[in-house]
Amino acid sequence: MKRTRRLKRWALILLGSSAVLLVPWTVVLALTLPTRTEVHNWSLAWIGLDVLMAAGCAATAVLGLRGDARVRLTASATASVAILDAWFDVTTSAVGTALLEALGSAVAEAGLAAACVFLALSKGRQGEPAPR
């Protein structure tokens, strides 16, 4: 038990240190990254993100229906992927119809993320019977 607490403490110290170190790194990126670039494998990147979101939704649904407590983990990850997808949809869209479509998708993805956050924060018990 003592070793677990020590590992948890070090993990939290690592996370806190990372947060602090990411501030200057973000400033460097803001000052040095180009505003435009050519991207290879663009469609593969977007398809991969949507496949990841679909897999997260499926895993969360299956675990949730089985009453498995690990549903909280997949729900957390899926919420993150949905928000990430929405962010990149909106920030990489051209002004006009594409941006309106991205904003519409972002609203749907925000709803998905909200449902996942609700599941991630719920106090379900392991072995709880599946809802009928």
Side-chain angles (χ1 to χ4, degrees), residues 49 53 76-90 106-114 117:
L49 193 55
M53 189 162 44
S76 293
T78 304
S80 298
V81 171
I83 295 300
L84 199 65
D85 191 297
W87 172 261
F88 283 106
D89 282 345
V90 172
V107 169
E109 289 162 338
L112 172 65
V117 168

Side-chain angles (χ1 to χ4, degrees), residues 70-111:
R70 293 175 293 179
V71 69
R72 296 171 76 183
L73 300 173
T74 59
S76 293
T78 304
S80 298
V81 171
I83 295 300
L84 199 65
D85 191 297
W87 172 261
F88 283 106
D89 282 345
V90 172
T91 60
T92 61
S93 292
V95 175
T97 305
L99 180 57
L100 290 175
E101 289 173 0
L103 289 169
S105 293
V107 169
E109 289 162 338

